[in-house]
Amino acid sequence: MRRIRVTVDGRAHEHEVEPRLLLIHYLREVLGIGGAHVGCDTSNCGACTVLMDGESVKSCTVLAVQADGHEITTVQGLAGDGGWHPVQKAFHEAHGLQCGYCTPGMIMAAVSLLRENPDPSEQEIREGLEGNLCRCTGYENIVKAVQQAAHEMRGQAVAAS
Ligand code: FES
Ligand code: FES
């Protein structure tokens, strides 16, 4: 067993874990965070995507011990005091989901994408989200949601400057 200290969605945690425990299982089974989903066993679907120190990672490809000392953000930690994160709001308003299974991972990948590129083209959005699979939407409304969120976040950045 290995002792790890991890901050998840702003809360500090310390646990003894098996060295082989995956981060996704630590989040879901140890911390009870159901917002990170498991959609495959091949590291393809992206449903498990979370941020580690602000960078998107597929949490089924990271060991819990590799998260030791790091900050993890799941979809459950995105909303702030002012309500939903602009990406969450845009997915809701632009109907960027149907069954919602891919949505937590899709949103976290979009947040990471917009942090790196606040004004992405449609092609850049599609490329940025290509590690996240959706069986329902045909991606059109997902792309629209990311465009809407990008627009709103740029507006907020201008207003704050
Ligand atoms: S569960 Fe499918 S990529 Fe992680
Ligand atoms: S909304 Fe159903 S898998 Fe994406």
Side-chain angles (χ1 to χ4, degrees), residues 24 37-49 58-61 131:
I24 182 67
H37 289 168
V38 180
C40 71
D41 55 11
T42 53
S43 308
N44 278 324
C45 76
C48 62
T49 303
K58 291 181 175 177
S59 59
C60 72
T61 66

Side-chain angles (χ1 to χ4, degrees), residues 46 49-51 54-57 73 75 78 85-91 96 102-120 124-132 141-151 153:
T49 303
V50 298
L51 305 184
E55 298 278 328
S56 68
V57 293
T73 308
V75 75
L78 258 194
H85 186 283
V87 176
Q88 290 175 302
K89 199 163 148 275
F91 268 72
C102 71
T103 311
M106 201 63 87
I107 286 176
M108 299 315 287
V111 168
S112 174
L113 166 68
L114 294 179
R115 241 178 227 168
E116 284 167 24
N117 181 358
D119 189 11
E124 286 169 335
I125 293 171
R126 289 182 184 276
E127 285 171 9
L129 298 181
E130 69 187 2
N132 291 72
N141 286 356
I142 290 174
V143 172
K144 282 186 196 148
V146 177
Q147 287 170 323
Q148 179 178 322
H151 185 72
M153 290 165 77

Side-chain angles (χ1 to χ4, degrees), residues 12-83:
H13 298 275
E14 188 169 341
H15 286 103
E16 298 275 343
V17 298
E18 292 270 0
R20 64 182 176 176
L21 182 70
L22 294 172
L23 178 58
I24 182 67
H25 296 310
Y26 176 69
L27 294 173
R28 290 179 61 84
E29 289 152 28
V30 179
L31 301 185
I33 294 175
H37 289 168
V38 180
C40 71
D41 55 11
T42 53
S43 308
N44 278 324
C45 76
C48 62
T49 303
V50 298
L51 305 184
M52 184 149 94
D53 300 334
E55 298 278 328
S56 68
V57 293
K58 291 181 175 177
S59 59
C60 72
T61 66
V62 177
L63 294 167
V65 293
Q66 291 175 295
D68 183 27
H70 294 279
E71 186 156 341
I72 304 297
T73 308
T74 77
V75 75
Q76 290 177 222
L78 258 194
D81 294 339

Side-chain angles (χ1 to χ4, degrees), residues 97-102 134-137:
L97 62 136
Q98 287 183 20
C99 80
Y101 201 84
C102 71
C134 176
R135 293 185 305 180
C136 304
T137 65

